[in-house]
Every structure is written in structure tokens, then in C-alpha cells.
Amino acid sequence: MCEMPVNTPENPWKVSPEEERERKDLRETHLVFSIDPKGCEDVDDTLSVRTLANGNLELGVHIADVTHFVPPNSYIDIEARTRAITYYLADRRYDMLPSILSADLCSLLGGVDRYAVSVIWELDKTSYEIKTVWYSRTIIRSAYKLFYEAAQELLDGNFHIVDDIPEFRDLDEKSRQAKLEELVWAIGKLTEIARHIRAKRDRCGALELEGVEIRVQLDEKKNIHDLIPRQPLEVHETVAECMILANHWVAKKIWESFPHQALLRQHPPPQQEFFSELRECAKAKGFFIDTRSNKTLADSLDNANDPNDPIVNRLLRSMATQAMSNALYFSTGSCAEEEFHHYGLALDKYTHFTSPIRRYSDIVVHRLLMAAISKDKKMEIKDNLLSNKDLEELCRHINNRNRAAQHSQKQSTELFQCMYFKDKDPENEARCISDGVIYSIRTNGVLVFIPRFGIKGAAYLRNKDGLVISCGSDSRSEWKPGSLQRFQNKITSTTTGGESVTFHLFDHVTVRISVQASRCHSDTIRLEIISNKPYLIPDKELFHQSSLLLKSDLVKEVTRSVEEAQLAQEVKVNVIQEDYQKYCQTKGRSLYTLLEEIRDLALLDVSNSYG
């Protein structure tokens, strides 16, 4: 922390005269703004677009200049390298860099001067084809710190959202109108450019994959309000396409300058056998999925649309995502150029440049880009670049940290899903009943996806007593003696009385959600099919609103202090039964029951663990 710059009211940080001389100053010439999730503090990236004197367009991606504050092999650099990534959990984050950098001096906040590294393209005014590109260290002042929903409202022409944008609040009506028109034009033009870039990648076989992203909505006291699946917006894609473009061009630049020691990101093609379940599921709905290349896969997924049920396409894309190999960082000196390809994005070269506040890989890439610029200018390269061997070792470390971050984020979401339902009575609480979609058939049950909460899990059709599910004339389920018969795309439960019910792939069913506690493992979500019919919502309009931002009337505390948790554990430990004192054995279920549970684990969907 002794290496960190100071920014206090008494001693505010300022742009230095030396940096002002060396950098391109964009503060007065460019309308720069950021679009991020609500509450985002570590703003890595900003965007700009303007019309040039010759009528062409200029697109700019401006990224926080973290390497200015993090010299190679400094204490802060060694710590950032060790952490390698910022960990985002459901209710908190663990930063790669200290907050003075991540949330202040490196963060491209609105209305303040910041150092940036910019990639700026000149685009043809009609075709949006790239004519020139340049890279430079710059000084910017972001005019707006927008959140995604506000940017989407402006793009859609709903200007009432202006009241929620702080930068507009103190303006007179004339200035407000002029600035609003300028911002709306910029967002609209960025979206048009992004559509063109996306279409170009689509023609090469870029994949649009599906991942369920859940946001935990908390109040000020860290109590849980709701679990909200992320709503896809066009501005998400607009920002993403601009970042992908910058990453691609920086990858080409650093590889051209340092062909044997550049850090790139590869995404190898998946193994064909991993697509078998996807192909079988699509076949059940009458769709054919061609997996021979990323282009044929993308086209097949685009065509696999059920007009009566949009969830089908989401589930098929989710299965395609799970079949994918992991994208990995690598040193270009360690593999042949034909292996550089990024399968999912359909790009020949790709890297990560746009998030240096939260990814150490991007810091390495920034240093490589600065060295490439110095090389072009025939200047001395200030930083000693890593050799191929050292870079490959660093890539292995970053890849390991990335996997750890993905696992911890997934486990955190699952923990909060359990916490959300833990104190609710599944028999009486309305929110414990939801619509589910069957997406896989197993020997003694089905795997179900619950769109409302982004939950995937197993629903048994045979219980531990050997009874099977039966649905009467009212479609309500009950357990009766009988047998199960599994087919490729369906499973049939037949009672000894001759009643039968069949569950097909992609059937909608009504599911009860509860939490299953365990003495040995973390709590898990338990799903129970209570009707073989879809869940009917009494008030559709109310549900439409609640599916976006449902507020819980009964606010539940989900984050207890460490002291409380430890105290609870101590109380449990102190309650020792006489049998334990005498025989050192706990009272509980038999070994047979335990082995039965292990056998039933075959039902669980573990595919996400390897995604």
C-alpha cells in the first residue's frame, strides 16, 4: 500500500504535466461515456463515437491505464499477479487491486480526468468497414457513467429515464435537451456499428451461447430480496462487440510485434462426442443440429426455434455451452499459429485487453501493447518483456485462478439460492412453486430448469421408499407403488393399478422448491414435481413485472456474522449424546441409506462443473 498514490480532499490526485505532454488529450474533443451494471465501481472501459470532417466515423474504446500505476515487479504487481483476477461473489467481490486503484484512480468514473489506453478506428460512413486504426496512451474525462438499463431506455426512445442519470439533473432545459440528443445519437450509432461487427463475425461462424446468470438482490443490511436472472439487452451486445473488436485488434498488434512472446487467448473446437446429448434433445423437438463447424452449429441453433416455447432455444444453447472446451491463455511461442483460433468468437487471434482492473492477463497485454507502440516509434522498450517460457508459466497460473474464480462464483450463487428458499415453507409459500422445463431424462428421474430463478436440478420420479410418481385426473402428483420405464426422449411412470404418466423432453411441469439439509455437505436445492402441467400464474401482468424485479415482502437475512456462525457451531458441538460419549458413534441413518444416496447421485446434473 506504500506504493499507492494518494487521492484525498486535502491532497487530490491530478494529471501530471509530464503525462499531459506525452499523451493524446481527448478531454475536450471526444464524448466519452461508460455503460456498466448498476453499482459498478471498477469501470475498466469507456466508449466514444463521432463524425470526422471527411464524413467518416471514428469509434474509440478507452481502457483504464492500470500499468501506469502498477510497474513491473513492484510489490503491487507481485500481489496482483498472485491474485490474477477479481472474484465476484453473490454479495461481494475480492479485488485484484486495492480500492484506491480499482474503485478510484484507475476507474473511469464520470466527470474526472483519468489516464487511458485507447484503440481508435476510422470507419467508412456507410459500410462501417475499418479504414485505419491507432493505439495510444490518452487522457479522457468520461461525460456519463450509465447503467445498462438506462442506456437501453435511451436507445428505445424512452427519455423519462433521464431523471435517473445524475449528469442531467442540474442542467437547464436547453442544455439538457442538447446533451440528451448528443448522447442518444452516440448510443444509437454505437449500436448500429456493433450490429455490423456482429454480423461479420456471424458470417464466420460466431456462436451465441447461453449461460444462466443470476443476480442476488440485497438491501443495505445484506438481507436477500430476490434472485433475478439477468435480462438480455441489446446494449449488452453493443458494449460486448466493441470490447471484442478492441481485443481482436490488440491481439493482432502484439502478435505482429512479438510473434513468440505475446499473450493470446485460444478456444479450441469441442470434441464431437460432447454434442451427443444436444443433438438427441434437439431431435426430440424435430430440429437437426449440425456440429461439424462453429458456422454450421451457429446456423443450426438459430434455426432451432419453437415459436410456442422460447425456452427450448435457450436450453439448446445452454447444452451447446456445456459441450464447449474452456478458453485458455497461452504464449504464442508455445504453439503453432493455426492453433490460435477462437472457436466461439470465430476470430483468428484474440486476447484480453479491456479489463486490466480485474484481470492480470490484461495488464500483461497492456505492457505488450505499449512495447509494440515503442517499437513502431523506434523507441527503447522500457519494460522487460517476459520470455516465452516465463509467459507460458504465468498463463498456467492465470488459467488456474480463472477456474477457481468460476467455481467460487458458481458455488456462491448456489449458496444464495439455498439461503433464499431456506426459511420459506415449501408447502405454503407461493414463491416455492414455479414453472420448470424438463431438459434431460435419467434412469429414475429428470433434470429440470426453472427459468424464474435460473435453477437447474434433479427431480426424482421414484422416491426412497421405492414408490413412483403418479398424476391423477387433476394432474396433481402422488407417490404409489409401480415402476419406471426410460426411453431416449421420455420416461413413463406406471403404477401397479395401471395408471401411467409420461414426461417428455421440454415438457413444462409445476415444481416445488425446497432446501435439503445435510450433515456432511452444503445444503442443496431440492426439486419436486407436484403436477405434470405447466404452472399457471393467476395474474400474468403481475408475473411479467415480478419476473424482472420481484420484491420479497418477507425479507430474509442471509449473511450472518462469522461470530454468529461460529457460536451456532459451538452450540451444536456441545450437544453431545450419551451414545456418542460411550461408543463414539452418532445416531443417524444407516450405512445402507448412505450407499443408496450415493447410488442416486447418478441423477444429478454435474455437467456445469466442467463448463
Side-chain angles (χ1 to χ4, degrees):
M1 293 303 294
C2 295
E3 294 179 342
M4 291 298 94
V6 176
N7 188 24
T8 61
E10 301 78 31
N11 188 11
W13 178 86
K14 293 177 183 174
V15 171
S16 75
E18 183 188 350
E19 292 294 329
E20 232 167 356
R21 285 192 300 272
E22 291 187 1
R23 292 171 181 265
K24 179 90 172 167
D25 194 339
L26 308 181
R27 287 174 289 185
E28 303 300 329
T29 56
H30 289 64
L31 174 67
V32 177
F33 55 93
S34 62
I35 307 176
D36 287 288
K38 263 186 181 177
C40 177
E41 294 177 344
D42 49 347
V43 182
D44 289 286
D45 53 88
T46 52
L47 297 163
S48 68
V49 63
R50 64 175 186 160
T51 305
L52 298 173
N54 62 6
N56 285 336
L57 291 169
E58 183 190 80
L59 169 66
V61 171
H62 315 279
I63 307 300
D65 189 359
V66 173
T67 56
H68 173 81
F69 298 97
V70 182
N73 299 318
S74 59
Y75 287 122
I76 190 64
D77 181 51
I78 293 166
E79 180 64 28
R81 189 189 313 159
T82 304
R83 297 186 181 204
I85 193 168
T86 292
Y87 288 69
Y88 291 90
L89 304 186
D91 65 331
R92 70 195 72 191
R93 73 172 192 268
Y94 292 99
D95 290 321
M96 182 182 79
L97 295 170
S99 59
I100 181 66
L101 296 183
S102 63
D104 192 358
L105 295 181
C106 288
S107 187
L108 306 180
L109 304 169
V112 291
D113 296 344
R114 289 292 180 261
Y115 296 149
V117 178
S118 299
V119 184
I120 294 182
W121 301 267
E122 182 181 340
L123 308 176
D124 184 271
K125 58 187 172 186
T126 51
S127 68
Y128 298 141
E129 290 299 317
I130 294 170
K131 290 185 166 294
T132 60
V133 60
W134 60 272
Y135 312 84
S136 179
R137 277 189 148 140
T138 55
I139 303 172
I140 65 166
R141 185 186 299 134
S142 178
Y144 304 98
K145 183 177 180 288
L146 301 174
F147 54 96
Y148 281 118
E149 292 78 8
Q152 186 65 49
E153 292 287 344
L154 293 177
L155 182 63
D156 294 341
N158 302 325
F159 301 140
H160 60 83
I161 197 70
V162 167
D163 296 331
D164 293 337
I165 302 173
E167 291 86 353
F168 283 103
R169 282 178 192 155
D170 299 326
L171 298 175
D172 61 74
E173 191 57 38
K174 188 177 179 182
S175 301
R176 184 174 171 146
Q177 193 58 37
K179 285 186 175 294
L180 178 61
E181 286 177 10
E182 182 185 39
L183 179 60
V184 169
W185 177 86
I187 295 172
K189 189 56 68 177
L190 278 174
T191 303
E192 283 179 32
I193 294 168
R195 286 174 189 153
H196 170 80
I197 299 167
R198 174 73 204 198
K200 195 173 181 180
R201 287 199 305 111
D202 283 345
R203 288 194 292 274
C204 297
L207 294 168
E208 183 183 335
L209 300 175
E210 178 75 27
V212 181
E213 191 175 320
I214 299 297
R215 183 165 64 85
V216 177
Q217 192 179 60
L218 303 170
D219 64 12
E220 310 81 41
K221 295 180 180 178
K222 299 287 185 182
N223 297 320
I224 192 166
H225 273 275
D226 201 359
L227 304 173
I228 304 169
R230 181 188 179 194
Q231 301 300 315
L233 304 172
E234 186 170 18
V235 287
H236 288 144
E237 196 166 301
T238 298
V239 174
E241 284 302 327
C242 292
M243 298 305 124
I244 290 168
L245 185 69
N247 287 333
H248 173 53
W249 278 85
V250 168
K252 291 200 294 185
K253 179 67 178 174
I254 62 175
W255 175 75
E256 286 164 4
S257 298
F258 308 106
H260 302 297
Q261 54 190 121
L263 187 153
L264 299 189
R265 189 163 173 82
Q266 63 183 169
H267 185 212
Q271 297 178 34
Q272 286 299 310
E273 58 264 30
F274 293 165
F275 285 125
S276 56
E277 186 174 18
L278 168 65
R279 286 193 291 260
E280 290 302 327
C281 287
K283 191 176 173 183
K285 272 287 182 180
F287 301 124
F288 171 69
I289 304 292
D290 186 345
T291 60
R292 287 175 298 172
S293 71
N294 53 358
K295 173 67 175 151
T296 59
L297 175 59
D299 292 343
S300 299
L301 288 170
D302 287 342
N303 294 329
N305 265 313
D306 184 340
N308 301 317
D309 191 359
I311 296 291
V312 170
N313 189 261
R314 281 183 63 190
L315 282 169
L316 292 174
R317 289 185 187 277
S318 178
M319 288 177 194
T321 305
Q322 289 171 14
M324 294 292 153
S325 312
N326 284 327
L328 297 168
Y329 298 109
F330 70 101
S331 171
T332 50
S334 298
C335 58
E337 190 180 345
E338 55 266 21
E339 295 174 24
F340 292 5
H341 189 75
H342 196 293
Y343 178 87
L345 297 176
L347 294 171
D348 60 340
K349 292 174 186 71
Y350 191 68
T351 193
H352 275 164
F353 157 77
T354 53
S355 295
I357 292 176
R358 59 186 179 88
R359 292 189 303 231
Y360 191 76
S361 55
D362 301 50
I363 290 180
V364 176
V365 169
H366 274 237
R367 288 174 183 154
L368 284 162
L369 180 61
M370 292 303 104
I373 293 170
S374 298
K375 192 177 178 183
D376 288 349
K377 294 177 179 177
K378 306 286 192 292
M379 293 167 60
E380 181 190 352
I381 296 174
K382 294 178 183 177
D383 299 335
N384 290 324
L385 300 179
L386 294 172
S387 67
N388 173 55
K389 183 182 176 184
D390 291 340
L391 185 56
E392 190 60 28
E393 190 176 329
L394 177 60
C395 287
R396 275 196 295 272
H397 166 69
I398 295 173
N399 289 333
N400 288 336
R401 292 293 87 211
N402 273 354
R403 275 191 292 271
Q406 288 165 4
H407 286 315
S408 59
Q409 188 171 353
K410 177 175 176 285
Q411 289 168 352
S412 174
T413 301
E414 289 169 354
L415 171 68
F416 271 75
Q417 286 172 336
C418 286
M419 286 173 159
Y420 181 68
F421 290 104
K422 184 146 190 166
D423 297 329
K424 290 179 170 61
D425 180 1
E427 298 295 330
N428 301 312
E429 178 70 53
R431 287 182 192 137
C432 291
I433 309 297
S434 191
D435 189 60
V437 185
I438 295 170
Y439 70 93
S440 189
I441 307 295
R442 292 292 188 264
T443 307
N444 57 343
V446 292
L447 299 182
V448 178
F449 172 57
I450 300 176
R452 169 63 187 85
F453 298 110
I455 291 172
K456 285 183 175 181
Y460 292 87
L461 302 185
R462 179 190 288 121
N463 67 12
K464 290 178 181 178
D465 298 324
L467 304 177
V468 298
I469 198 168
S470 171
C471 296
S473 55
D474 60 354
S475 301
R476 308 302 291 178
S477 67
E478 55 183 318
W479 298 104
K480 292 182 178 180
S483 61
L484 295 176
Q485 189 173 8
R486 177 189 174 183
F487 302 92
Q488 193 162 25
N489 301 319
K490 63 183 180 179
I491 185 168
T492 300
S493 172
T494 307
T495 66
T496 52
E499 303 166 354
S500 71
V501 58
T502 299
F503 296 91
H504 298 82
L505 275 175
F506 301 113
D507 276 356
H508 284 250
V509 292
T510 302
V511 178
R512 178 184 289 125
I513 308 166
S514 59
V515 175
Q516 186 164 346
S518 169
R519 292 181 301 167
C520 310
H521 303 284
S522 55
D523 293 349
T524 54
I525 291 288
R526 180 171 177 266
L527 304 181
E528 181 186 356
I529 296 174
I530 59 173
S531 169
N532 62 344
K533 299 295 183 203
Y535 179 56
L536 298 176
I537 299 95
D539 189 336
K540 288 188 178 179
E541 186 176 75
L542 180 65
F543 174 75
H544 176 69
Q545 294 170 351
S546 68
S547 68
L548 298 176
L549 282 172
L550 186 65
K551 295 279 187 180
S552 175
D553 298 327
L554 304 170
V555 176
K556 304 298 181 186
E557 183 168 342
V558 297
T559 51
R560 301 177 177 87
S561 67
V562 174
E563 290 81 7
E564 287 175 321
Q566 287 176 339
L567 182 63
Q569 289 297 321
E570 286 166 10
V571 170
K572 287 179 184 177
V573 169
N574 290 333
V575 182
I576 301 175
Q577 300 296 323
E578 288 180 14
D579 284 354
Y580 180 78
Q581 289 176 323
K582 189 172 181 179
Y583 304 111
C584 293
Q585 290 184 345
T586 53
K587 284 185 176 178
R589 292 170 294 179
S590 67
L591 178 62
Y592 174 78
T593 310
L594 175 64
L595 292 172
E596 278 291 293
E597 287 180 3
I598 292 171
R599 186 175 67 84
D600 288 343
L601 284 175
L603 179 65
L604 295 181
D605 178 17
V606 296
S607 54
N608 279 341
S609 303
Y610 305 99

